Structure formats: C-alpha cells, structure tokens
Amino acid sequence: MISAELMELNAIVWMTSLTPIFSFLAWAEITPLLATATAFDTDSLVLVGVLLSLVVIYLTSKIGGELSNQLGLPPILGELVGGVVVGISALHLLVFPEGGANSFNSIIMNLLQATADLDLKETSAILKTQSEILTIFAEMSVLVLLFRIGLESNLSELLEVSPQATLVAVVGVVIPFAAGTVGLIILFGMPVIPATFSGAALTATSLSITSKILLELGRLNSKEGQIILSAAVIDDILGIIILAAVASLAKTGEVDVSKVLYLIISASSFLLGAILLGRFFNKSFVMIADKLVTRGRLVIPAFTFALVMAYFATTIHLEAIVGAFAAGLVLDETDKRKDLQQQVIPIAELVVPIFFVTVGAKTDLSVLNPAIPSNREGLLIATFLIAIAILGKVIAGFAAFGQTQINHLAIGVGMIPRGEVGLVFAVVGSANGVLSKPLEATIIMICILTTFLSPLLLRFVFPEAGWMVAKSK
Amino acid sequence: MISAELMELNAIVWMTSLTPIFSFLAWAEITPLLATATAFDTDSLVLVGVLLSLVVIYLTSKIGGELSNQLGLPPILGELVGGVVVGISALHLLVFPEGGANSFNSIIMNLLQATADLDLKETSAILKTQSEILTIFAEMSVLVLLFRIGLESNLSELLEVSPQATLVAVVGVVIPFAAGTVGLIILFGMPVIPATFSGAALTATSLSITSKILLELGRLNSKEGQIILSAAVIDDILGIIILAAVASLAKTGEVDVSKVLYLIISASSFLLGAILLGRFFNKSFVMIADKLVTRGRLVIPAFTFALVMAYFATTIHLEAIVGAFAAGLVLDETDKRKDLQQQVIPIAELVVPIFFVTVGAKTDLSVLNPAIPSNREGLLIATFLIAIAILGKVIAGFAAFGQTQINHLAIGVGMIPRGEVGLVFAVVGSANGVLSKPLEATIIMICILTTFLSPLLLRFVFPEAGWMVAKSK
C-alpha cells in the first residue's frame, strides 16, 4: 500500500514539474464552462484521448526512427526505444492500465481531466477504453505489416527453402527448450514444471519483429531472409503446439496427446490449405477485382481476404498474423501484385508505427533495475536464459544445410527476437499459476532484450547492408 | 418486460433459421477443447470480433457500392443501405449495444460464444468493447475522409466563394430553424423549448456525407461543390453555436450570451488561425518532410498534423472533422500535394467504408414502422420537418448571388444531408430531457432520410454527371 501511495506522490511531483511543457494547452482549460452545453460525453473524450495518443505515437516514431537512422541503426530500434521513453518507464505520455498504470500516471488523462472537468473514476474508464482501442489498433497494424511482408515475399522461393527452414526452426526450438529447461533445473534448482514452461517460452521467433527488420535491411528477398521468414512461420506453429503441450502438463501433470496431435494436424492443414486454395483463389481474386468498378476495388477485396485468413488462423489457435501473412503470400502470386503493393505501402507506413511504439511503451524497464533486490535472482536467471536464447538460434542458423553462398550467422541472428509468442507464454504461465511474478517478468525481459539486440547484431553480421530508409516518398 | 422477452424469443427463432448460413464455420466449435490450453482470453476474442465485423463491413460496402453503381446511383447510397441490411434493422451481423441491441442479437457474438464457450456476461462485455472500437474506427475514418477532402479542395477557391457560401449557410440555417420551430408550435401545439430544439436540429448540413457525395460525383472542385463545402463548414460552426444557445435555453430558460459569444469568437479564430498559420506551416512542413529519410516521411507528418488540428477543433467544441478538413486544406497549398494525395487515396479507400456502413448499421428502421401506433405522431411531425429540412436548404441554394453560370438547385440539394450534427442535437436534447423519445427518434429519422435522399436527388439535378467510380485501381 505504502509503495503505491509513494508512487502516486511521485507521479504528482513529477507531473507538476512537467506542467510548463504543456501549458501552451492550458487555455483549453477554460472550456469546461461549455462542457454541459455541448455533447462533450465520454465517447468524444475517448476519441480525443486516442487522437492525442496517436500524435504521441507518430512524433515518437519519427523522432526515434530518424535519430536511430542517423546513428546507422535500424529505424525500428528507434521506434521501440522511443516507445520506452514515452511509455510507462519514463515520460508517461502513453500508458496502458494492464501495465499497472492508473489514470493518475497518464499525462493525456491528466490533460483530459483538466479540459473536461472529470472525476477520477470517469478518467479511469476513459483510459481503459482508450487502451483497449490502441491495443486493437496495434494488433490490426501488425496484421497490415504481415500482409505487406507476405505480399513482398515469394511463395515459391519460400517453399524452395522450406527443407532448410524446417531444420532451422526445429533446431532453433529444440536447443533453447532443452537447454533452458535442463539448465534451470540443474543450475537454479527450479521445479520441473516452471522450468519446462520457461524453456518453452524461449522457442518461438517473433515473425513481426524479424520480418520488419529484414524489410528495413532490404534483405527480405535474400536467401537468408527467405529462410528466416519461412523458419519463423514454422517456429510460430511449433511454439503454439508446445504451449498447448506444456499448458496441459502444467494443469494435469501429463501431456494431452490428442490435443497436441489435433494442433499439429490443424496447423499443417491451415498452411497447406492456404497454399493450395490460394492457387485457386488467385484467379477468382483477379476476376473479382477486374469486375469491380467502384473505389477501393483492389485494396478492399485484398484486405477482406487478409482479415478472413487472419480469422481462420485464430480459429485453430494460430496467431492471426500467420493468416494475414498467408493472405499476402497468396495475393503476391497474382498479376495485381505491383498495383496492390503500391497501395498497401502507404497504409502500412501509416499504421505499423502504432505497433512498435506501443510495444516499447508497454515495456516496464523497472523489472531490469538491479537496485531492487527482488529483481536480482530474476536478473541472474534472465542472463542465463538470454544467453541460451541467443546461442540456440545462432546454432540453428548453421543447421541450414546445402547452401554454400549463405550467411549462416545472419540467419541465426535474424531468428533471435522473441516477441508476441514469448509474451503469450508469460501471460498463460502466470494465469495458470505456473510462473511466479519474477519469472513472468524475466520472460518478458527476454522478449524485450532479444527484440532490442537482434537489429543491433544484424547490422554487423550483414555488414554490407544499409537500412532501406528512403524507399518511399 | 414481455415485449423484451418476445424480442429475445424472436431472436432465437430467427437465429436458428439462419444457422445453416454459417454452419460452414461450425467446425470451429470443436476448438473449445483447446480454449484453456492457449491464451484465448477476452482480448483476443475482441480482436476476432473486430476482424469479423470488418469482414462484414467490407463485403457490405463492396456489394452495396457495386449494386448501387449498376443502378446508376452513387456507391455511398449502397454502402448506407447495405449497412442497414447487415445492421440492427435486419440481419444483425453488425450490431451496437447503444442501439438497444444485446449480445444475444449479434450473430458475430453468437459465433464467438459457440467457438470459445463464453457465458452471456463475457459475451456482452466483448460486444461492448468491440462496439466502442468500431465506433472509434468509424470516427477516425471520417477524419481521414475529411483530411482527403481538404487535400482535394482548394483554399483560395473556397475563400473566393466564401461570401456566397456564408449567405447560403446563413439562409440554410435560419429558414429551417425558424420555419421548423414556428411550425411545430403552431401546427402541432408543441411547447416552445422542445420546438426550438427540434428546429435547431434541422440547421447543420453533414460535412462528411455531403463531401463524399460530391467526391463521387466528381464535382468537388466545381463552383457548386466549392460553395457547398464552404457553406457546410460554416454550417457546422453555426450549428455548434446554436446548440450551445438552445441547450442553455433548455437548461436555464434563457440564452447565456457569454457562452455564445465565446463560441463565435473561438470558432472564427480557429478557422482564421488555421488559414493564417497554415501559410507559415506550409513551408515548415515541406522543410520537415524533405529532411526526413525513413519510411512514411510524408504520410506520417501529414497525418500527425491532421490529428493535432482535429484535437484543437475538439478543444473549442467544434467537430474533430473540421480540424482534419482544415489540415487537408493547408497541406493542399504545398508542393507535396500530388505525392500526398496519391498516398492518402488508398488509405481513405480502405477506412472510409467503415464509417458509412456503420452509420447504416446503427440505423434502426423500426422507428419508421407506421404499424406501430406510437410511431404515428412522430411520422407526421417527421414528414413536416423533412419537408422544411429539404425546402430550407433548396431555398438557401438560390441565395448564392452574383454567379450566372451556376446550378442553384444543385447547391441546395447538396446541402440537404443532416448527419452527425443533427444526431448530436438528438442525443444532447434527449440527455437534457428536452426531447421526448419519439421526438428524438424523429430527429434521427430526419438525419437518416435526408442522407438517403440527397444523393438520389443530386443525381437528377446534376444530370450530366456520372459517378466517379473507376478513378482508382
């Protein structure tokens, strides 16, 4: 209780010090006299909150991206770090209640409260709705990103490298899983079930972060890029299957084989089905698009297809983004490819920063603070698990056989980011009572650090690559 | 109570009859056995609900738009009618709880419930969040629409016609206001305050609907189009001022002159300030865009500016869309205009249908059913008010003086749609207890009917115009 009160006090002191920064907006405070006359209801305040949050997101993404680029680093790193700066860890311009923040900590909510004369309860409700909306915005924006990545990838090239990719994926899943689990049991004396869960959380590469990095490197269509992408999709599927297995292990003490089999079959059928039906749907899509004459006759059918595929992916408990990626791959095979890419690029550029800045903003760096004693054991475990997480994927990179002119190190490094799937493990494990709070924080920490490390390292293992920064106007 | 139960029974019977339609999705029902194993939490169900709703919206917009176009009518009419078909009035594929719908009436919610084994309370919470998200999506999409309209309009041409536009706006506000109020008092014996409120609700033209119709007609940059747009912006401001005046009249029995003066001053300063600062900001914007090198270097600064302007508009209680429109106007003056337009078009085409289909879906046609006795007086009043609403604007069209080669009838007809501002009057009036439920429904009905009528009539008063349907790929 005391620490919560101290935090609030802290927030007040800190808010007060910031006041001059947005005092140029203070004239808006005179408007409460109108609040009853016009329909300044909660709905419109949510809209205002979302507007302001998007302004913060876009300013952050541009300032972070440009600075990062000037330092010779990928823009995405700047967006993530920028997100951390404006988020829960520092400036509190963009906070989400699930991160332990209340409306008291949110500068935007304080501004709204001043403008519209709200009480704390109303402000909390607005912050909650606003956060749900921004979260869905971010999730939709990753769908757009992966749809675009699919459009810019080539299905036959992906299939061509699929034997190597499968091996990279399997090795990159087995090594961190096995080494992580065994190491936690032997070195840290952890019980079997949480150790298994933590090991399992190290398995899956983040498709969205990895593919964005490859896009920025201009390496999406290199042999390495194709193997990484392909392996990341397989990884995602393996990760979901492992999650089902370890979650049932955690719950009943044994693995439910029928569930695991069901997942393997449905996930494989989804991918195979997408590829096969895609060949047929290609022609129908072109036929439909040619028949339509009203505005959006290409972009709307294309996104509708992506949304439907994303939905089907969720019904078999794959990530929605796998469906959007598959939709992009299928439409890349049509002769509408060029037109579609051209229209999707500005859409993606507008929405994708929402995802990366939000990921940064939700990251609570305080779990990394070694001055707090309760973090220390977590930090030791985290150091061990991060080493395993990096080494496991780097070794997996060398499993890509039969290619002579290939940068094996780049493949391994490209597979390092654990993003959303790792976070799902943390959330499910914590909800099932398998993971303690510090262990959950440790897993989140691994997702964060691997995400930050991979672009930095890739810059050096692809030394000849420049960031594709000025491709669009 | 009984009628509510009957409605629910009705919904069950009707749902059952529809089951075969989506039984192709029934295989998804076997997935609950996985629901505990994977993180199938409420958040991800909200995402699934939003995905499915967007699929419904896009299918509706394309089917409605194409059919409407084939009948020689504007696509927007098809989107609105399509929205009514999938919405609360008929198919229940897209329902919003504020429209009196519960999760029981929503097909998407029923599907989710079957897929994920939810109870009614969880489903209602998901429907509520999903609806809030779709509502904000729709509001953001009108911002994009008006930003685009601003980009495609020409500030100096708008200013050139501003004397005529001001007269059109003032006449088009005064006639429906005066005739509506006096008519309701004399013909229907209505007390002064609700009559004033209802008359006031007839004043403001819908900027978003009118401008979309002009865009589809290819008449945005005609003399008539410029006068209509310009007058609609002035209308919007007059509407907000009148709302403040009648709301204080309703609350205290007298008009608070200081409030009204404050609104007049702040709204005028906003518009003048936007135009003046815009001239200066133009150069800074081009300078900033030229310095940026990372992705989205044009589209992100442009949208950030639009969001900031939308925010400033809301702080002085104008509609956010007026700010977005002003931002588009300002950026249209830069030499980045062409590049920016090209990038904004696919974005607008993707998001704008969300708004129009949603407006249709929220429209409850049951208030128009003359078989229900309580609707009858409302229908009589509505007929009177609609006649006033149409005639008032048509007469206003002839107030555009000093132009010889001008289609005065087209200007008047173009001003007919009352959209969001009329709805704000209905909501505020009902919340203040000034408008009875039937009177509120009547005002909503007027907003709906004028919106449907205007594109139909415009087709005939601009006989030589074709709908600009195949402008984009």
Side-chain angles (χ1 to χ4, degrees):
Chain A
M1 268 326 274
I2 290 173
S3 97
E5 276 161 17
L6 271 176
M7 272 170 66
E8 291 199 345
L9 192 65
N10 225 345
I12 298 177
V13 172
W14 177 86
M15 280 294 305
T16 319
S17 71
L18 256 192
T19 313
I21 298 180
F22 57 93
S23 69
F24 76 98
L25 290 167
W27 62 273
E29 287 195 30
I30 54 172
T31 50
L33 85 151
L34 295 163
T36 49
T38 49
F40 220 34
D41 54 320
T42 319
D43 280 1
S44 65
L45 286 173
V46 170
L47 178 66
V48 173
V50 172
L51 286 183
L52 288 176
S53 305
L54 287 176
V55 169
V56 168
I57 288 172
Y58 284 136
L59 290 177
T60 307
S61 108
K62 273 285 134 263
I63 295 171
E66 292 286 331
L67 283 179
S68 186
N69 183 59
Q70 286 210 327
L71 297 171
L73 296 170
I76 184 198
L77 193 63
E79 293 185 348
L80 287 167
V81 174
V84 171
V85 172
V86 296
I88 182 78
S89 298
L91 290 184
H92 290 248
L93 281 162
L94 196 65
V95 295
F96 293 81
E98 69 261 41
N102 53 35
S103 57
F104 215 71
N105 289 330
S106 159
I107 289 192
I108 290 176
M109 287 304 124
N110 279 283
L111 185 59
L112 283 189
Q113 212 167 351
T115 318
D117 203 13
L118 299 169
D119 62 33
L120 196 62
K121 207 179 139 194
E122 290 167 317
T123 320
S124 298
I126 292 171
L127 178 66
K128 184 165 169 288
T129 309
Q130 174 198 297
S131 301
E132 286 168 338
I133 289 164
L134 288 175
T135 302
I136 294 284
F137 267 41
E139 286 174 352
M140 299 294 298
S141 72
V142 211
L143 288 185
V144 175
L145 172 64
L146 268 288
F147 180 59
R148 181 195 171 178
I149 303 280
L151 271 181
E152 299 200 355
S153 308
N154 187 299
L155 179 59
S156 34
E157 282 174 23
L158 283 181
L159 288 177
E160 200 182 289
V161 298
S162 65
Q164 290 94 332
T166 308
L167 205 63
V168 170
V170 171
V171 173
V173 161
V174 169
I175 293 184
F177 189 10
T181 307
V182 173
L184 287 176
I185 295 173
I186 294 176
L187 299 178
F188 296 90
M190 197 182 279
V192 175
I193 288 179
T196 313
F197 223 96
S198 310
L202 301 180
T203 54
T205 293
S206 161
L207 185 56
S208 54
I209 290 169
T210 293
S211 59
K212 182 81 193 308
I213 295 171
L214 288 171
L215 190 69
E216 288 186 349
L217 267 172
R219 289 306 176 104
L220 203 57
N221 287 308
S222 66
K223 191 66 98 183
E224 292 87 358
Q226 296 292 307
I227 293 178
I228 293 174
L229 263 194
S230 208
V233 172
I234 300 168
D235 243 31
D236 206 24
I237 296 166
L238 293 177
I240 301 295
I241 292 168
I242 291 172
L243 179 61
V246 297
S248 77
L249 173 70
K251 197 159 273 176
T252 61
E254 59 189 49
V255 175
D256 183 336
V257 180
S258 69
K259 263 185 199 173
V260 173
L261 274 180
Y262 168 83
L263 267 177
I264 293 173
I265 293 168
S266 62
S268 321
S269 342
F270 177 79
L271 276 196
L272 283 177
I275 292 167
L276 294 175
L277 277 176
R279 305 244 145 141
F280 158 78
F281 179 74
N282 268 343
K283 294 184 188 67
S284 332
F285 177 80
V286 173
M287 221 178 64
I288 291 170
D290 281 339
K291 278 206 178 149
L292 299 179
V293 290
T294 55
R295 278 165 199 278
R297 69 203 185 92
L298 190 54
V299 80
I300 288 184
F303 270 93
T304 309
F305 178 55
L307 293 170
V308 169
M309 292 292 280
Y311 170 69
F312 280 129
T314 65
T315 59
I316 53 170
H317 297 264
L318 289 179
E319 297 278 318
I321 54 172
V322 174
F325 176 71
L329 271 184
V330 166
L331 295 186
D332 178 60
E333 304 280 289
T334 68
D335 57 7
K336 299 282 175 201
R337 190 182 62 237
K338 282 252 167 291
D339 284 344
L340 195 53
Q341 279 181 12
Q342 216 186 342
Q343 293 183 34
V344 170
I345 285 175
I347 297 169
E349 287 180 352
L350 185 66
V351 300
V352 172
I354 301 174
F355 175 67
F356 291 104
V357 175
T358 315
V359 167
K362 286 184 175 177
T363 299
D364 188 355
L365 286 191
S366 67
V367 299
L368 289 173
N369 184 356
I372 299 169
S374 64
N375 286 347
R376 283 180 206 151
E377 201 207 338
L379 279 174
L380 264 182
I381 294 179
T383 312
F384 166 72
L385 288 179
I386 285 172
I388 295 287
I390 294 175
L391 282 176
K393 292 294 181 187
V394 169
I395 294 170
F398 287 94
F401 61 91
Q403 306 278 337
T404 44
Q405 293 276 314
I406 207 176
N407 189 336
H408 289 278
L409 192 58
I411 294 178
V413 172
M415 301 286 293
I416 288 176
R418 314 295 202 278
E420 53 286 348
V421 182
L423 294 175
V424 169
F425 273 87
V427 171
V428 173
S430 168
N432 283 354
V434 176
L435 300 176
S436 62
K437 273 283 156 199
L439 204 50
E440 185 195 359
T442 304
I443 292 176
I444 294 174
M445 208 187 298
I446 292 165
C447 296
I448 297 165
L449 284 180
T450 53
T451 297
F452 283 99
L453 275 175
S454 175
L456 279 174
L457 295 174
L458 265 184
R459 183 78 186 82
F460 297 104
V461 296
F462 271 139
E464 73 281 28
W467 303 109
M468 299 286 287
V469 289
K471 204 176 162 188
S472 71
K473 279 172 215 151
Chain B
M1 271 318 279
I2 291 174
S3 94
E5 275 160 18
L6 271 177
M7 272 170 68
E8 291 199 346
L9 192 65
N10 225 346
I12 297 177
V13 171
W14 177 86
M15 279 294 305
T16 320
S17 71
L18 255 193
T19 313
I21 297 179
F22 57 93
S23 68
F24 76 98
L25 289 167
W27 63 275
E29 288 196 28
I30 54 172
T31 50
L33 85 154
L34 294 162
T36 49
T38 50
F40 219 37
D41 54 322
T42 319
D43 279 2
S44 64
L45 286 173
V46 171
L47 177 65
V48 173
V50 172
L51 286 182
L52 289 176
S53 305
L54 287 176
V55 169
V56 169
I57 287 171
Y58 284 137
L59 289 178
T60 307
S61 110
K62 272 286 133 262
I63 295 171
E66 292 285 331
L67 284 179
S68 186
N69 184 60
Q70 286 209 327
L71 297 171
L73 297 169
I76 184 196
L77 193 64
E79 293 186 347
L80 287 166
V81 174
V84 171
V85 172
V86 296
I88 183 76
S89 298
L91 291 183
H92 289 249
L93 281 163
L94 197 65
V95 295
F96 293 81
E98 68 260 41
N102 53 35
S103 57
F104 216 71
N105 289 330
S106 159
I107 289 191
I108 289 177
M109 286 304 125
N110 279 283
L111 185 59
L112 283 189
Q113 212 167 351
T115 318
D117 203 15
L118 299 168
D119 62 33
L120 196 64
K121 208 178 139 196
E122 289 167 318
T123 320
S124 298
I126 292 170
L127 178 67
K128 184 166 170 286
T129 309
Q130 174 199 298
S131 301
E132 284 167 339
I133 289 164
L134 288 175
T135 302
I136 294 283
F137 267 40
E139 286 173 353
M140 299 294 298
S141 72
V142 212
L143 288 185
V144 175
L145 172 64
L146 267 289
F147 180 59
R148 180 193 172 177
I149 304 279
L151 272 181
E152 300 200 356
S153 307
N154 187 300
L155 180 58
S156 35
E157 282 175 22
L158 284 181
L159 289 177
E160 201 182 289
V161 298
S162 64
Q164 290 94 333
T166 309
L167 206 64
V168 171
V170 171
V171 174
V173 160
V174 169
I175 293 184
F177 189 9
T181 307
V182 173
L184 287 176
I185 295 172
I186 294 176
L187 299 179
F188 297 90
M190 198 180 281
V192 174
I193 288 178
T196 313
F197 222 96
S198 309
L202 301 181
T203 53
T205 293
S206 162
L207 185 55
S208 54
I209 291 169
T210 292
S211 59
K212 182 81 194 309
I213 295 172
L214 288 170
L215 189 70
E216 287 186 350
L217 267 173
R219 289 306 176 104
L220 202 56
N221 287 308
S222 67
K223 191 68 97 185
E224 292 87 357
Q226 297 291 308
I227 293 178
I228 293 175
L229 263 194
S230 210
V233 172
I234 300 167
D235 243 31
D236 206 22
I237 296 165
L238 292 176
I240 300 294
I241 292 167
I242 291 172
L243 179 60
V246 295
S248 77
L249 173 71
K251 196 158 275 176
T252 61
E254 59 190 46
V255 175
D256 183 337
V257 180
S258 68
K259 265 186 199 174
V260 173
L261 274 180
Y262 168 83
L263 266 177
I264 293 173
I265 293 167
S266 62
S268 323
S269 341
F270 177 80
L271 276 197
L272 283 177
I275 292 167
L276 293 176
L277 277 176
R279 304 245 147 141
F280 159 78
F281 179 76
N282 267 343
K283 294 184 188 68
S284 332
F285 177 80
V286 172
M287 219 179 63
I288 291 170
D290 281 339
K291 277 207 179 150
L292 298 179
V293 290
T294 55
R295 280 166 197 279
R297 69 205 185 92
L298 189 55
V299 80
I300 289 184
F303 270 92
T304 309
F305 178 56
L307 293 170
V308 169
M309 292 292 280
Y311 169 70
F312 281 129
T314 64
T315 59
I316 53 170
H317 297 263
L318 289 179
E319 297 278 318
I321 55 172
V322 174
F325 176 73
L329 270 185
V330 165
L331 295 187
D332 179 59
E333 303 281 289
T334 68
D335 56 8
K336 299 283 175 201
R337 190 181 65 238
K338 281 253 168 289
D339 284 343
L340 195 52
Q341 278 182 12
Q342 215 185 341
Q343 293 184 35
V344 170
I345 285 175
I347 297 169
E349 287 181 352
L350 184 65
V351 300
V352 171
I354 301 174
F355 175 68
F356 291 103
V357 175
T358 314
V359 167
K362 286 184 175 177
T363 300
D364 188 355
L365 287 191
S366 68
V367 300
L368 289 172
N369 184 355
I372 299 169
S374 64
N375 288 347
R376 282 179 206 153
E377 200 206 338
L379 279 173
L380 263 182
I381 295 180
T383 312
F384 167 72
L385 289 179
I386 285 172
I388 297 287
I390 294 174
L391 282 177
K393 293 294 179 185
V394 169
I395 295 168
F398 288 93
F401 60 93
Q403 306 279 337
T404 45
Q405 292 277 315
I406 207 175
N407 189 337
H408 289 279
L409 192 57
I411 294 178
V413 172
M415 302 287 294
I416 288 176
R418 315 297 202 277
E420 52 287 348
V421 181
L423 293 176
V424 168
F425 272 88
V427 171
V428 173
S430 168
N432 283 354
V434 175
L435 299 177
S436 62
K437 273 285 155 195
L439 204 50
E440 184 196 0
T442 304
I443 292 175
I444 294 175
M445 208 186 300
I446 292 165
C447 296
I448 296 166
L449 285 180
T450 52
T451 298
F452 283 99
L453 275 175
S454 175
L456 279 174
L457 295 174
L458 264 185
R459 183 79 184 82
F460 298 103
V461 295
F462 270 140
E464 74 281 27
W467 303 109
M468 298 286 287
V469 289
K471 204 177 166 187
S472 71
K473 278 172 217 155

